[in-house]
Amino acid sequence: MKTTLSLLFLFLSSLVQGLTYPKCDSHDHGSTLQVFHVFSPCSPFRPPKPLSWEESVLQMQAKDITRVQFLVSLVAGRSIVPIASGRQIIQSPTYIVRAKIGNPPQTLLMAMDTSNDAAWVPCSGCDGCSSALFAPEKSTTFKSVGCAAAECKQVPNPSCGVSACNFNFTYGSSSIAANLAQDTVTLATDPVPSYTFGCVAKTTGSSNPPQGLLGLGRGPLSLLSQTQNLYKSTFSYCLPSFKSLNFSGSLRLGPVAQPLRIKFTPLLKNPRRPSLYYVNLVAIRVGRKIVDIPPAALAFNPTTGAGTIFDSGTVYTRLAAPAYVAVRDEFRRRVGGKANLTVTTLGGFDTCYTVPIVAPTITLIFSGMNVTLPQDNLLIHSTAGSTTCLAMAGAPDNVNSVLNVIANMQQQNHRVLYDVPNSRLGVARELCT
Ligand SMILES: *[C@@H]1O[C@H](CO)[C@@H](O)[C@H](O)[C@H]1NC(C)=O
Ligand SMILES: *[C@@H]1O[C@H](CO)[C@@H](O)[C@H](O)[C@H]1NC(C)=O
Ligand SMILES: *[C@@H]1O[C@H](CO)[C@@H](O)[C@H](O)[C@H]1NC(C)=O
């Protein structure tokens, strides 16, 4: 009897654990990968000591400023020196997926980045890399890519090493030198043979994702370009909220099993920045009112790179200053109303309240698709519940560009479908678990 009971107890507690703990090493299946927040218990990159709510908000804001500067520098085609921050901040994008590289496979947790094309991983012997490294010498399928290969012409600043193609580039505040290589990359259960990626040999700065980066952009050398036949340039993701770190989301590759009931807006292409996913944001509604935004703050302009992009690596949506001010002022008017509530700030957020509020919804109006953001995608609350902020901001002060970035806090618990062959992007609500 006693054993039966304790067995039952064991069974029940493992059931309960199964429900509460994320299943970190449950296998990715088919063409679907689990997506974890970097602060998730499944992430080796979570801070050693949990950050306070304020610390994590401020840290994510600081990281975002570098990220937005980086995106703007991509658009402007020139580098912008990121503001140095006092503390070492891990600036790598917010969500990670598991990839297996080589034969026998070595597992790496790579950052997902929709605004970058290439993939790169830190390789053994890397100078300046932290964390786990990929060991090419242990893989029987690893090959260096030679200088004469076509791929060597697609990388930034190529140079010829000992017959192998070397290149270097900047990412956020990091500069990275890598060797071009090929190996089998396995995503969920799909092996992609001879996948071309950068093997990082040297890095400086703190933006380099510790276990590498998986670029989901659509330019040359991207995952999409290299898996045309397999995934047909189609993928979707559901990003879990960072309030429920025990949840994981999913990255679904290929046209199979994508949602059918989803609203679409056309994807626009900027020839200067072929990897970024531009859409046409035409207006913004706060509650029922369409706010007054000068058209130039939203307009797509392929020559200057102005417009609106979806990005998986920025945390809080950034709008060009005139657009943000219009949204914020209407939001404050609706919240404050007759009560005349005091507005406070928290780091880069300028619309915070220290009393409970009733907030209006905000609707992003794209060509052909309206996305109404529920409160969870708009507001952040301190753990103690005493502070609530509108989780959006204007473009950083020193960034002189009209780039609106729809960021991951605003995408959480939605499925975002990138359908490149049909030139459209879809959004539908979904609770990622
Ligand atoms: C995640 O799960 C752990 C273990 O069950 C639990 O201690 C923790 O409170 C959970 N965190 C959240 C945010 O639910
Ligand atoms: C980047 O490549 C260029 C050209 O090959 C080289 O001169 C430069 O030293 C490299 N920079 C780094 C940081 O490796
Ligand atoms: C989006 O909202 C606007 C303004 O409320 C409305 O005029 C338009 O018909 C809506 N579009 C779609 C596709 O629902």
Side-chain angles (χ1 to χ4, degrees):
M1 182 66 191
K2 220 169 165 186
T3 22
T4 325
L5 268 182
S6 54
L7 275 178
L8 184 69
F9 176 75
L10 270 178
F11 170 74
L12 281 178
S13 54
S14 65
L15 201 69
V16 168
Q17 276 193 5
L19 290 175
T20 47
Y21 282 99
K23 295 174 209 76
C24 302
D25 30 293
S26 84
H27 290 290
D28 295 327
H29 58 277
S31 303
T32 301
L33 286 80
Q34 273 183 299
V35 173
F36 300 109
H37 193 277
V38 282
F39 291 171
S40 148
C42 295
S43 163
F45 317 122
R46 65 186 182 278
K49 182 168 84 65
L51 300 175
S52 73
W53 177 77
E54 257 187 32
E55 281 171 331
S56 64
V57 168
L58 295 177
Q59 191 178 105
M60 287 195 267
Q61 282 180 351
K63 170 182 116 54
D64 263 10
I65 290 175
T66 322
R67 175 80 184 171
V68 172
Q69 287 170 328
F70 167 67
L71 293 171
V72 167
S73 76
L74 289 181
V75 168
R78 63 189 152 81
S79 58
I80 290 174
V81 179
I83 298 172
S85 65
R87 268 192 307 156
Q88 176 89 352
I89 287 173
I90 297 176
Q91 282 153 348
S92 56
T94 336
Y95 292 96
I96 52 178
V97 293
R98 196 186 294 111
K100 294 183 228 73
I101 306 180
N103 179 26
Q106 302 174 35
T107 300
L108 293 170
L109 286 161
M110 299 170 77
M112 248 174 68
D113 187 345
T114 54
S115 297
N116 253 271
D117 290 341
W120 71 81
V121 297
C123 284
S124 36
C126 170
D127 174 4
C129 296
S130 55
S131 187
L133 303 173
F134 170 64
E137 67 281 5
K138 292 190 184 141
S139 169
T140 57
T141 41
F142 181 86
K143 297 186 287 285
S144 286
V145 172
C147 303
E151 290 90 342
C152 194
K153 299 188 175 59
Q154 297 177 322
V155 295
N157 312 313
S159 66
C160 215
V162 188
S163 83
C165 177
N166 300 332
F167 64 105
N168 60 39
F169 56 96
T170 57
Y171 183 77
S173 62
S174 286
S175 69
I176 300 174
N179 310 313
L180 200 59
Q182 289 183 334
D183 205 337
T184 303
V185 172
T186 306
L187 298 168
T189 55
D190 301 327
V192 184
S194 300
Y195 191 81
T196 306
F197 61 93
C199 204
V200 177
K202 184 171 192 250
T203 178
T204 57
S206 58
S207 300
N208 183 20
Q211 295 191 10
L213 182 128
L214 185 66
L216 293 171
R218 53 178 160 166
L221 274 194
S222 65
L223 176 72
L224 299 201
S225 311
Q226 293 194 54
T227 57
Q228 265 308 325
N229 294 336
L230 186 60
Y231 299 137
K232 319 271 185 240
S233 293
T234 306
F235 68 94
S236 73
Y237 55 65
C238 188
L239 304 175
S241 160
F242 48 71
K243 277 197 332 200
S244 29
L245 289 176
N246 285 349
F247 287 10
S248 63
S250 62
L251 170 64
R252 199 174 289 154
L253 298 165
V256 176
Q258 296 298 356
L260 300 172
R261 289 191 48 204
I262 190 163
K263 289 180 285 184
F264 287 104
T265 188
L267 273 176
L268 309 176
K269 210 161 184 172
N270 175 350
R272 283 164 61 97
R273 271 304 138 194
S275 41
L276 301 181
Y277 293 103
Y278 280 89
V279 291
N280 190 14
L281 177 63
V282 289
I284 301 178
R285 207 168 63 202
V286 178
R288 280 208 230 122
K289 180 171 179 201
I290 294 187
V291 296
D292 203 3
I293 298 173
L298 300 180
F300 174 65
N301 182 338
T303 316
T304 61
T308 302
I309 63 167
F310 267 72
D311 179 45
S312 65
T314 309
V315 182
Y316 304 112
T317 289
R318 295 263 172 180
L319 299 174
Y324 177 68
V325 168
V327 168
R328 176 200 69 189
D329 289 353
E330 181 61 18
F331 182 92
R332 287 185 183 173
R333 208 182 61 75
R334 289 284 308 262
V335 170
K338 296 187 195 86
N340 216 353
L341 298 180
T342 308
V343 177
T344 60
T345 62
L346 175 69
F349 293 138
D350 64 4
T351 301
C352 302
Y353 299 88
T354 51
V355 292
I357 59 164
V358 180
T361 56
I362 293 185
T363 302
L364 302 174
I365 302 181
F366 301 97
S367 309
M369 172 179 89
N370 292 353
V371 177
T372 296
L373 299 172
Q375 307 251 324
D376 277 351
N377 294 95
L378 281 182
L379 304 177
I380 51 166
H381 305 280
S382 60
T383 345
S386 53
T387 303
T388 302
C389 298
L390 172 63
M392 291 188 182
D397 283 344
N398 61 336
V399 172
N400 185 20
S401 152
V402 188
L403 185 68
N404 301 298
V405 181
I406 309 300
N408 63 45
M409 155 107 199
Q410 277 66 41
Q411 298 177 43
Q412 284 165 9
N413 286 320
H414 287 78
R415 182 148 299 267
V416 182
L417 171 59
Y418 295 77
D419 178 356
V420 176
N422 296 307
S423 249
R424 54 187 193 167
L425 178 145
V427 178
R429 276 208 211 165
E430 178 178 321
L431 185 65
C432 340
T433 46

